[in-house]
Structures are given as C-alpha cells and as structure tokens.
Amino acid sequence: MKLIAAGMLLLAILGLLLAEWQGGQGTWAWVKAFCEAAAVGAMADWFAVVALFRHPLGLPIPHTAIVPESKDRIADNLAAFVRDHFLEPGTLLAKLEQADPAAKLAEWLAEPGNTQRLTGILQATVSEGLALLDDDAVRRLIDKQLARLVERWDAPGAASRLLQLLTQDGRHHELLDSALKQAGVYIQQPDVREQVSDMVLKYARREWPKMLAVVGWVKSPDSMADDFAVKLTDALLDEMAAVLNEPGHPLRQRYHAWFEGFIERLQHDPALRDKAQALKAELLQHPALRDYVGSLWTDLKAHLQANLSAADSPMAERLQQAMARLAKELGRDPALREAINRHVLSVAGRMAESMRFTLTHHISQTIKGWDTPHLVEQIELGVGRDLQFIRLNGTLVGGLIGLLLHGALLLLPLLRH
C-alpha cells in the first residue's frame, strides 16, 4: 500500500511535468491543474500520516512524531479509559447481572462433555499439585499442627464430658451389662474352668500343704480343686446374673457411684487432671504415634494419586455426579440461582473495586515500558491499510479540487463581463 500511494504521487508529478512540457494550454491546462493539486494533496497527507508516527525525513519539526512523543500520555489515557469504561463497578455489575451467571452455569454444567472436561482439569491440577508438594515439609506441618491441637486439648475435660454422655441415658449400665455377659460366656468355657482348678490347687499346695495331706485319704486334691473351681465359677455366674437382673444391686450401685465420683474427680481433682495431662503429653511424644502420623500423609497422597490417575476414578465419578445435580438444582430452583447471582455480584463488586486502580496502574506502566519503535510499528500495522488510503484519497481529492479551482479561474473573467 505504501508503494501504491508513492506510485500515485509519482504519477501526479510526472503528469505535472508532462503538462508543463506541453505548454499547459487547453486540455493540458486541466491536466496540469489536476496533477499539481494531486501532488500537493499527496505530499500533504504523506506528511500528516508520517507525522503521526515519526519525524518526516528525520527532521525534528514541531508537533510531529506524535505517537512516540505522547507514549506516556497515551498509556495513561488508555488505562483511564479501561478503568472508567470496563472496570467501573456499576457498569461491570450491570452487565454481569444481565448475563445471569447462575443460569449460564446451569446450562454449561448440563452438558456431559463440559463436566467431563472440567473434571479432567481438576484431576490434572490436583495431581500436579500433589506432585509438587514437599513431602517432608507436609509431614512436619502435620506434626506441628497435631502438636498444637493436642497441646490445646483439655484431655481431662474431654474425658469428663464423654463419661457424662455415657451416664445421661444409663449407657454406662449398658456397658456394665455387656461386660458381665461377656465375662459369663468366658467363665463357662471348659478351658477357663480348668485354669481356675489349676490355680486353686497350686494355691492350696503352697498355703495349706498339711491340710491337703490330712484330707488326701478322703478325696484327692485334684478332685477337690475341680469341685472348688466348679463352685467358684457357679457362684460368680450367679452373682453376675443377680447384678444383671437387679437394678438396685449393691455392686451396680457402687459401680454407679464410682462412675459419678470419677467424673467429679476429672473435673476438680488437680492431681488427677495433672496425671491425665501428663499422659497426654507422653502419648504425643510416643515414637509409634509420631511414626503413624508421619505415615498418614504418605498413605493419603498415594491414595489420592492412584484415584486421580485411574480411568474409572470413583472421585471423578462422584464429582461429575455432584456437578450434574448442581445443574439440575440450578435449573429448577430460582431461589438458588438468585443466591448464587447475589454472591457472584458481591464478589465481583469487591474485586472490581480493589483491582480497578491496580490494573489501571499495570496497564499504564506496561505501555510506558514498551520499546518505543516497536510500539509505533505495532500501532501503525494495527491501523493498517487505511493509513495509505488517506494518502491515496489525498491524491485524488487534491486533484479534483485542482480541477474545480482551474474551472473557477476560467469562469471568473466571464463573470466580470
């Protein structure tokens, strides 16, 4: 386009020279008028176009090279334009409200392909994030946070509240009943009875050897021990049955009193509370617990990575199902859409207000930091062919004006007469 515009200027100059060489009379006078005005118009518009972007012929003529000389002002004005017309909260929120973001979200999520793509993006993002994490740093953080939580944890108070919950509906009696039933089943086992017999015989031989020698001719010590074991287990079973069947049994009452007293001590006994806190600290420092806590992150990370990379990932399937349910709920629940829109508008308003001047400053400083010749070239190329059409139009319009002026000069003597 530059070559075409320059070629038109050259033709106008050649036409002017040819008309002058032919004497500039008659038809050649019209040619001369056209070409002379066309050459002036072409050169004037060439000067105007060039003056926008650089000094014509490299001469520092005032009010030329307008774009490079005004780069800072252009940057500030462009930034202000973006600030006032794109980031103005009222305008932005009005357009956002008209867009109905919740409805658009529902429509988008209703497409299975969209939810699959979004799920894939989330899977890849989380997987990459897990791979970037420093495992040792995460373990130290977990260990540190656990230590803080345990340090703030009131172990005696928590134990007291837990035991109070057990006593509210008599659950501690249910616990006692269950323990007694299990003990009864255990005691009735033949091998347990045999163990009781052995213990009785061993104790009798150690404590009453003479008595066993005297009665040995009547009944063998082993038989006596067996009889005693049977009677002992039967007595224990009878006593446990009595405790189970009698709500007011003395043993049950003592158990209840001990339970209540222990809760009271946990709340108000400094010695017991200190003991519980010391046990808590000892537990926290136990190597087995620390090793277990350290292994939690390794196991969790491995599980997540395996789940995220699986083709039939249960996590991805549940995520897609959740997004599908959200789309349905948004489609049939206007109140939910309204709530989401209000939230989006609120967040957008705060972001627009906080980022408005930051982005304005960023735009301004970025443009000011650009290389000036490169900026000028990009603007010139961005405007494009129209710049050269200005020169072409100047050539043609100038030539036509030259014809009009020549014709007016020819009519002027006639008008005088």
Side-chain angles (χ1 to χ4, degrees):
M1 289 303 298
K2 286 182 177 181
L3 290 175
I4 292 173
M8 292 288 290
L9 171 60
L10 180 61
L11 286 176
I13 293 174
L14 291 175
L16 175 61
L17 293 175
L18 180 61
E20 188 66 28
W21 184 64
Q22 293 292 336
Q25 301 296 321
T27 303
W28 290 105
W30 290 91
V31 173
K32 178 182 178 181
F34 177 86
C35 290
E36 184 177 17
V40 172
M43 287 187 284
D45 283 350
W46 166 85
F47 181 90
V49 169
V50 172
L52 283 173
F53 302 100
R54 55 189 62 85
H55 295 297
L57 302 178
L59 301 175
I61 301 172
H63 305 293
T64 59
I66 294 172
V67 170
E69 294 292 337
S70 306
K71 184 177 73 170
D72 290 352
R73 187 174 71 250
I74 292 172
D76 291 336
N77 289 338
L78 178 60
F81 178 80
V82 173
R83 179 196 64 203
D84 296 336
H85 295 278
F86 290 92
L87 298 178
E88 198 280 320
T91 303
L92 181 65
L93 294 182
K95 292 183 178 296
L96 192 58
E97 187 174 10
Q98 292 175 359
D100 193 359
K104 294 291 190 297
L105 176 63
E107 294 175 4
W108 192 84
L109 290 177
E111 295 292 334
N114 291 335
T115 58
Q116 291 176 359
R117 284 193 294 272
L118 179 58
T119 302
I121 292 172
L122 292 175
Q123 283 182 272
T125 302
V126 175
S127 183
E128 291 173 3
L130 287 172
L132 291 174
L133 287 175
D134 184 346
D135 291 343
D136 291 336
V138 173
R139 291 190 191 95
R140 288 194 298 269
L141 178 62
I142 294 174
D143 188 71
K144 187 176 181 180
Q145 292 299 323
L146 179 64
R148 287 180 179 175
L149 288 173
V150 174
E151 186 177 355
R152 292 196 299 265
W153 177 45
D154 179 14
S160 173
R161 290 190 292 272
L162 177 61
L163 293 176
Q164 283 179 332
L165 286 175
L166 285 174
T167 60
Q168 279 182 357
D169 299 322
R171 295 188 184 94
H172 61 307
H173 287 290
E174 295 177 7
L175 181 63
L176 175 63
D177 293 343
S178 177
L180 290 172
K181 290 175 182 177
Q182 293 297 324
V185 172
Y186 176 75
I187 290 173
Q188 293 183 68
Q189 295 177 1
D191 55 338
V192 175
R193 289 176 179 267
E194 185 177 349
Q195 290 177 7
V196 173
S197 297
D198 292 341
M199 290 172 59
V200 170
L201 183 58
K202 183 178 179 181
Y203 183 80
R205 284 175 174 168
R206 187 180 70 244
E207 298 296 331
W208 309 300
K210 294 181 180 181
M211 184 185 71
L212 287 180
V214 172
V215 300
W217 61 274
V218 178
K219 198 171 189 180
S220 69
D222 290 344
S223 178
M224 288 176 59
D226 289 339
D227 291 343
F228 185 76
V230 171
K231 290 181 172 58
L232 179 60
T233 54
D234 289 342
L236 286 173
L237 290 172
D238 291 341
E239 185 65 20
M240 285 189 289
V243 175
L244 286 170
N245 296 323
E246 298 177 18
H249 193 280
L251 180 60
R252 187 180 292 277
Q253 292 179 354
R254 286 196 297 272
Y255 167 75
H256 180 75
W258 174 86
F259 219 97
E260 295 286 348
F262 188 68
I263 294 174
E264 184 71 17
R265 288 181 61 203
L266 282 172
Q267 293 175 340
H268 305 294
D269 187 346
L272 184 59
R273 290 180 61 84
D274 292 343
K275 196 172 183 179
Q277 294 286 35
L279 180 62
K280 177 191 74 174
E282 183 180 348
L283 178 65
L284 179 62
Q285 297 301 323
H286 198 282
L289 176 63
R290 300 182 75 86
D291 292 342
Y292 173 73
V293 172
S295 67
L296 284 177
W297 167 246
T298 303
D299 296 340
L300 177 61
K301 181 179 178 181
H303 174 73
L304 288 174
Q305 287 178 327
N307 197 309
L308 290 170
S309 60
D312 54 346
S313 169
M315 187 181 299
E317 184 179 354
R318 285 193 290 270
L319 185 58
Q320 290 184 33
Q321 291 173 354
M323 288 189 287
R325 287 195 298 270
L326 176 60
K328 290 181 181 179
E329 288 297 325
L330 286 173
R332 65 190 181 195
D333 191 343
L336 180 59
R337 292 198 302 273
E338 179 64 22
I340 291 179
N341 284 337
R342 284 199 306 270
H343 183 68
V344 170
L345 291 173
S346 175
V347 172
R350 291 195 299 271
M351 289 180 63
E353 195 61 44
S354 63
M355 296 177 64
R356 186 181 179 198
F357 293 97
T358 302
L359 286 176
T360 300
H361 179 74
H362 172 70
I363 293 171
S364 175
Q365 294 303 311
T366 300
I367 296 176
K368 290 177 181 179
W370 285 345
D371 177 67
T372 300
H374 179 70
L375 172 64
V376 170
E377 181 183 6
Q378 292 304 310
I379 294 177
E380 189 174 9
L381 291 175
V383 177
R385 297 158 59 91
D386 289 337
L387 287 172
Q388 307 311 316
F389 274 111
I390 292 175
R391 295 172 59 186
L392 293 175
N393 291 336
T395 303
L396 296 175
V397 171
L400 293 174
I401 292 175
L403 292 176
L404 289 174
L405 292 176
H406 181 70
L409 290 175
L410 293 177
L411 289 174
L412 187 60
L414 298 176
L415 294 174
R416 288 177 178 175
H417 297 289

